[in-house]
Amino acid sequence: MFNQPMSGRKSIARLAVSCALLMVSAALWGLSAGAAADAEREYGKIVQIRSEGQLLNAERMSGILERRDFEKEDVRYTAWSQENDITVENYSLGSRVRLDCALFYFGDNTGSFDLVLDNGCALSETSAFKIFGATKGILGETVVIGGENYIVEKLLYGKAVPLIYKASEDDLRTSFDALDIICGEGTEFSASEMRMVYGVSGDITIYYEDIAKSFGALGRLALWFAFAAFALIVAGGFASGLNKWLRRAVMAGGALLAVFCCYLLTGSPFYIPDSFIPTRWSEFEFWSSTFSRFGDTWNYYFSMRAYAPDILFRSHITKLLVFSLLSAASIVVAGVCARRAVNQKAG
């Protein structure tokens, strides 16, 4: 006699929890979509030319960009490389340490890769302690790298490269592992043009717009699977009293409806880069070379050390994936709560 009202209250409570989880999921998805938009807006115009064989020539690159008569706001560049076994000195303390690795770069600062300014450097906590014997109060101090003075501008926390610095005009390295061409709004940049017309050879070309859109599609795919699972779970609860075939039909219909709604709200969860679209679909050599090049590009990108110049871009991608997965998990849990509410009411 008293169980029925208690059962009804439990059912309402579970429906309330389900609705709350759906609202949390919507908020998390908003954060994921925002991170995806930030990644594409702030870094989508970057094209990286990476050479694994012969090093790229920074002076030649600079001359090429000048001959193209690009406006300063349209195209900028950041050339960067890694250096092993580098010596850093502190004359005031008389310390001299040898670091196993360093990242240096040269080129126009756009804000995207605003690591340090001219004649500035950033030290990891370990390197700072080796050089200064402390990690506090070192900002503004001077160290000597390759005979040049550099001001300590930043302290790198966590697992970071021991040293990052921007080469000065007098200490310009003429060869680099990679070159980042940073395009302005409405500017079309073709890496193929750089190779064919100007003879710039790079083993790997990375279009950051493609990376941002690919990860955005992965986030949408997680949402699609979550809503399909939600529909299957809830529809299964409503159709529990039907025969096997009707129950399967209701569940399949619910999942298809959920997928269709996801398509209307978020768009397709698949992204095909323009480089994957041939002029003729029968070009089998195009397909084999394209997939091989795509695999090399992604293998390189995922093997890049965390201190590469795109560290800020990666932070947006990480947020995108974390928030989209949390949103998907909230939807599935909401479906389980709704299913139990339905079963409780039916019971």
Side-chain angles (χ1 to χ4, degrees):
M1 180 181 196
F2 297 101
N3 289 337
Q4 190 170 359
M6 183 67 70
S7 175
R9 284 195 293 270
K10 286 184 177 180
S11 178
I12 293 173
R14 284 169 177 166
L15 284 176
V17 171
S18 178
C19 291
L21 286 170
L22 288 176
M23 288 189 288
V24 169
S25 173
L28 289 169
W29 176 250
L31 294 174
S32 175
D38 289 340
E40 189 173 343
R41 182 182 65 255
E42 297 177 20
Y43 306 97
K45 297 294 183 181
I46 297 174
V47 179
Q48 184 180 107
I49 300 176
R50 166 79 180 186
S51 177
E52 293 186 318
Q54 184 178 2
L55 293 177
L56 301 170
N57 187 293
E59 292 180 351
R60 183 182 184 189
M61 296 295 181
S62 180
I64 287 171
L65 293 176
E66 289 175 3
R67 287 200 302 274
R68 285 174 60 105
D69 295 326
F70 280 133
E71 295 293 334
K72 188 173 181 62
E73 63 270 14
D74 289 336
V75 172
R76 302 180 182 184
Y77 74 97
T78 299
W80 59 277
S81 185
Q82 298 171 21
E83 182 175 316
N84 296 319
D85 196 19
I86 183 170
T87 300
V88 182
E89 299 176 271
N90 183 344
Y91 289 159
S92 61
L93 296 178
S95 61
R96 176 188 175 97
V97 299
R98 190 179 297 273
L99 303 178
D100 59 354
C101 185
L103 168 71
F104 66 89
Y105 68 106
F106 183 87
D108 292 331
N109 244 351
T110 66
S112 299
F113 298 150
D114 188 15
L115 300 175
V116 290
L117 302 177
D118 293 335
N119 297 99
C121 70
L123 294 170
S124 69
E125 292 180 286
T126 303
S127 299
F129 195 81
K130 288 180 179 179
I131 298 169
F132 295 96
T135 57
K136 294 183 178 180
I138 66 170
L139 299 184
E141 295 293 327
T142 301
V143 295
V144 180
I145 307 170
E148 295 289 330
N149 290 332
Y150 288 87
I151 305 299
V152 179
E153 296 179 355
K154 292 184 180 180
L155 187 64
L156 305 172
Y157 296 97
K159 295 181 179 180
V161 63
L163 169 68
I164 297 175
Y165 68 101
K166 183 173 182 180
S168 65
E169 292 282 356
D170 299 329
D171 192 31
L172 172 62
R173 268 60 172 176
T174 57
S175 59
F176 291 87
D177 294 317
L179 179 77
D180 289 293
I181 305 295
I182 305 169
C183 303
E185 291 296 330
T187 302
E188 294 295 331
F189 173 81
S190 171
S192 299
E193 178 187 357
M194 293 288 282
R195 286 193 295 266
M196 296 172 61
V197 179
Y198 299 101
V200 177
S201 60
D203 300 316
I204 293 174
T205 301
I206 297 177
Y207 291 88
Y208 279 63
E209 182 179 12
D210 288 344
I211 296 177
K213 288 184 176 179
S214 297
F215 278 105
L218 283 177
R220 291 192 296 273
L221 187 61
L223 191 73
W224 279 42
F225 275 116
F227 268 113
F230 177 90
L232 286 171
I233 294 170
V234 175
F238 279 108
S240 59
L242 302 176
N243 65 54
K244 180 175 68 174
W245 296 108
L246 282 176
R247 185 170 66 253
R248 289 180 178 178
V250 170
M251 293 173 68
L256 289 174
L257 180 61
V259 167
F260 179 71
C261 291
C262 284
Y263 176 77
L264 294 178
L265 293 173
T266 66
S268 173
F270 305 104
Y271 171 69
I272 301 176
D274 292 337
S275 58
F276 270 57
I277 302 176
T279 54
R280 293 195 309 271
W281 291 94
S282 58
E283 294 180 2
F284 297 107
E285 292 185 1
F286 169 85
W287 292 110
S288 60
S289 62
T290 297
F291 279 105
S292 176
R293 186 170 62 252
F294 179 78
D296 291 341
T297 298
W298 280 89
N299 286 335
Y300 161 68
Y301 185 76
F302 283 114
S303 65
M304 286 171 63
R305 299 282 290 273
Y307 55 79
D310 70 338
I311 188 169
L312 299 178
F313 174 78
R314 286 193 175 191
S315 69
H316 287 301
I317 296 300
T318 301
K319 291 177 185 177
L320 183 162
L321 293 177
V322 169
F323 288 136
S324 62
L325 291 176
L326 289 175
S327 175
S330 299
I331 292 170
V332 174
V333 176
V336 173
C337 291
R339 171 70 176 266
R340 290 184 175 179
V342 171
N343 291 343
Q344 188 79 35
K345 188 175 181 179

